[in-house]
Amino acid sequence: MSGKYTVILAAGQGTRMKSKLYKVLHRVCGKSMVDHVLTQVEKTNMDQVVTVVGHGAERVEDELGKRTEYAYQEQQLGTGHAVLQAESILGDKDGMTMVVSGDTPLFRASTFEDLFEYHKEKGAAATILTADADNPFSYGRIVRNNVGVVSKIVEEKDATREEAAIHEINTGVYCFDNKKLFAALHQVKNNNAQGEYYLPDVIEIMKSQGEIVAAYEMKDFSESMGVNDRKALANATKIMQERINDQHMANGVTLIDPDNTYIDVDVKIGSDTIVEPGVSISGKTVIGSDCVIGANSKIVSSKIGNRVHVTSSTIEESIMHDDSDIGPNSHLRPEAEIGEGVHIGNFCEIKKAKLGARTKVGHLTYVGNAVLGTDINIGCGVVFVNYDGINKHTSVIGDHAFIGSNSNIIAPVKMADYSYVAAGSTITDDLAKYDMGIARSRQTTKPGYFKKLPVYDAIKQEEAKQAENKD
C-alpha cells in the first residue's frame, strides 16, 4: 500500500540572517517559518513527515514536538545529502514523497495537494513545483522541449541568454516516487565548487534513466518565497499579514487600516468587531463579536469577550469578560481576569487579580494579587501593596465595598461585603461587614501660617507695586 510522505529541510544555519536564532525558527506573524510549513503539510493528510535538522536541532524539536519525526544532518553537505538522512525512516516505503524547505513559510496546503495530484496524474518519477516569476533572477530556470516536457533545470550562473530569459522558475519543492528518490540520491556526485550533493541533480539522473519528469506550475509565485535574510523575512511577513487580514475582513471584522494592523496567524476575532490602526494582536488571542479595539492597543495571548472596548491599552495573557472596558493607557499583566461590565479607566495596572462584575477602577490605580467582588468602587490613586520584598501576598475585597482615593491596601488583608475605606488611608487590618477603615492622622490647622513663608513678602511687594501703578 503506497503512502504520502514529506521531508522538510531544516538543517541550514542561515548565516545571512546574522542572528543567534536558528534560521527556520524566525517568526512570521507569530509562528516560526518551519511551523508554518509543517502546519500546511499537516493539512494534506500525510502518512509520515520527517524534518531534517542540523544546527539548533534541539530548538527545532522543542518548537515542533511530536508532530514530526526527525533525521539528523551532522554536516551540511547539500540538499541532496540532507534528504538522504531520511532514508532510514522512509527509504523502503512505496508511495510519493514531497521535499520542501523549512524557510518557505508562505506555501498553502492547497498548492501541495495540487502538486501531489499532478504528480500522480502524470505517473512521474519526479515532479518539480514551478512558478512564473516577473523577475526570475537568481532562480533556476525550467527548460522545456517543443512539446512542453521538462528537459532540465538550469541554474542562473549556467544559463545561456535564451535560458536566462525564461520566466518559469524552480521553487525548490519536489514530489518524487519515494523509492526512486533514494535510489537516485545514492548516485548524486559532489563534483562542484561547493563540494556538496544537490537535490536538483536527481532530476538529471532520472531523466538519463528514461524516467518521467514533470513540472507543475503553481498559480501564485509569492508562495514560493524563501527567506534567507531580514529583508526577505519582512517581505514574507507583509504577504502573510495581508492574507490574515483579508481573511478576518471576509469573516466580518472591520479593519480600519489593514496596512497598519498586525494580527498573528492563530488569532480568532468575532464578526462586527472593529480594529483601529496600529493595533497588534498576537499569540492565541480570541476576541468576541461587537468589540472595539482602539488605536495602538496591544493584545497578547488573551481572551476578550463580546462588546468589549479596549482603548489604547496593553493586555497580556488575561481575560476580559463581556461588556467590560479598559483604557486609555492601562495595562493588564498576566493572569488578570476582568468580570462582566467592569470598567478599568486610564493609567491603571492589573496583575494576577480577579475583578467581579461591574466593579470600577477609574484611574491611576495598581491592583496586584487580589480577588475583588462585584460592584466595588476603587478610587483614584489606590495601590494594592502586595510585595514584602520576598513574597507576594493576596488581598480579598468583598462585594459592594468602597475604597477611597489615595488609599493603600497592605496585603494580606480581607475586607468584607459593604466595607468602606476612607480616602487617604493605609489599611493593614481586616474589615468586617459594614465597617469603615480610616488610617490617617487628624487634620491640624495653623491659622495665618502662610504669612511666615518667604513667598508672602514677595506677594505683598507685588501688590503694593500694582497699587502704585493704579494711582
Side-chain angles (χ1 to χ4, degrees), residues 189-240:
K189 307 297 183 185
N190 67 338
N191 50 353
N192 52 63
Q194 281 71 37
E196 295 184 350
Y197 300 88
Y198 293 134
L199 182 61
D201 291 352
V202 167
I203 301 300
E204 294 294 327
I205 292 168
M206 288 183 173
K207 287 285 292 183
S208 69
Q209 294 172 347
E211 299 286 1
I212 298 173
V213 174
Y216 172 70
E217 186 174 331
M218 62 191 285
K219 299 178 181 69
D220 183 1
F221 166 71
S222 70
E223 285 189 42
S224 66
M225 180 187 294
V227 174
N228 292 310
D229 56 29
R230 303 288 181 151
K231 183 176 180 180
L233 183 67
N235 290 337
T237 298
K238 187 173 182 180
I239 292 169
M240 181 67 77

Side-chain angles (χ1 to χ4, degrees), residues 94 147 187 289 434 438 453:
D94 293 314
V147 292
Q187 301 172 56
S289 299
Y434 304 125
I438 180 167
L453 301 176

Side-chain angles (χ1 to χ4, degrees), residues 25-70:
L25 294 179
H26 281 268
R27 305 186 91 73
V28 173
C29 297
K31 185 177 287 190
S32 68
M33 293 194 285
V34 70
D35 193 350
H36 276 293
V37 174
L38 179 56
T39 297
Q40 297 305 311
V41 166
E42 287 171 329
K43 293 178 181 179
T44 62
N45 298 314
M46 290 292 151
D47 292 295
Q48 269 181 293
V49 179
V50 179
T51 300
V52 181
V53 293
H55 293 291
E58 299 83 4
R59 296 282 300 276
V60 176
E61 290 188 46
D62 288 343
E63 179 80 6
L64 303 181
K66 296 181 180 179
R67 295 161 58 195
T68 172
E69 297 177 66
Y70 300 93

Side-chain angles (χ1 to χ4, degrees), residues 35-269:
D35 193 350
H36 276 293
V37 174
L38 179 56
T39 297
Q40 297 305 311
V41 166
E42 287 171 329
K43 293 178 181 179
T44 62
N45 298 314
M46 290 292 151
D47 292 295
Q48 269 181 293
V49 179
V50 179
T51 300
V52 181
V53 293
H55 293 291
E58 299 83 4
R59 296 282 300 276
V60 176
E61 290 188 46
D62 288 343
E63 179 80 6
L64 303 181
K66 296 181 180 179
R67 295 161 58 195
T68 172
E69 297 177 66
Y70 300 93
Y72 295 89
Q73 187 186 26
E74 292 184 10
Q75 292 180 283
Q76 273 59 65
L77 300 177
T79 51
H81 180 262
V83 177
L84 196 57
Q85 307 315 299
E87 186 176 31
S88 61
I89 300 172
L90 299 177
D92 62 346
K93 297 181 183 297
D94 293 314
M96 303 176 290
T97 295
M98 180 174 69
V99 179
V100 60
S101 175
D103 62 3
T104 53
L106 299 176
F107 277 115
R108 292 183 170 98
S110 58
T111 299
F112 293 153
E113 288 171 342
D114 290 344
L115 175 63
F116 275 108
E117 285 302 312
Y118 189 86
H119 176 80
K120 191 160 49 175
E121 177 188 311
K122 295 298 181 182
T127 302
I128 309 158
L129 182 63
T130 72
D132 184 78
D134 291 337
N135 178 15
F137 179 76
S138 82
Y139 288 95
R141 310 300 204 278
I142 303 299
V143 180
R144 297 178 184 263
N145 64 18
N146 58 353
V147 292
V149 175
V150 175
S151 299
K152 58 182 177 177
I153 303 173
V154 179
E155 297 304 318
E156 172 83 27
K157 63 182 182 299
D158 301 321
T160 65
R161 180 175 296 180
E162 292 78 13
E163 290 167 342
I166 295 170
H167 284 256
E168 187 180 7
I169 58 93
N170 176 19
T171 66
V173 177
Y174 307 86
C175 189
F176 296 102
D177 175 283
N178 186 66
K179 286 185 175 178
K180 291 178 180 179
L181 165 63
F182 288 105
L185 282 170
H186 284 287
Q187 301 172 56
V188 172
K189 307 297 183 185
N190 67 338
N191 50 353
N192 52 63
Q194 281 71 37
E196 295 184 350
Y197 300 88
Y198 293 134
L199 182 61
D201 291 352
V202 167
I203 301 300
E204 294 294 327
I205 292 168
M206 288 183 173
K207 287 285 292 183
S208 69
Q209 294 172 347
E211 299 286 1
I212 298 173
V213 174
Y216 172 70
E217 186 174 331
M218 62 191 285
K219 299 178 181 69
D220 183 1
F221 166 71
S222 70
E223 285 189 42
S224 66
M225 180 187 294
V227 174
N228 292 310
D229 56 29
R230 303 288 181 151
K231 183 176 180 180
L233 183 67
N235 290 337
T237 298
K238 187 173 182 180
I239 292 169
M240 181 67 77
Q241 191 64 80
E242 184 176 1
R243 282 188 200 171
I244 292 168
N245 290 356
D246 285 350
Q247 187 60 55
H248 283 298
M249 289 187 287
N251 292 340
V253 178
T254 295
L255 305 183
I256 302 299
D257 184 359
D259 291 339
N260 290 290
T261 302
Y262 310 98
I263 304 174
D264 277 1
V265 65
D266 289 327
V267 169
K268 294 179 172 55
I269 306 177

Side-chain angles (χ1 to χ4, degrees), residues 251-253 268-274 286-293 304-309 321-323:
N251 292 340
V253 178
K268 294 179 172 55
I269 306 177
S271 63
D272 290 317
T273 284
I274 298 171
V286 178
I287 298 175
S289 299
D290 302 295
C291 297
V292 176
I293 311 300
I304 309 297
N306 301 315
R307 300 174 300 281
V308 172
H309 281 228
H321 290 281
D322 295 353
D323 302 299

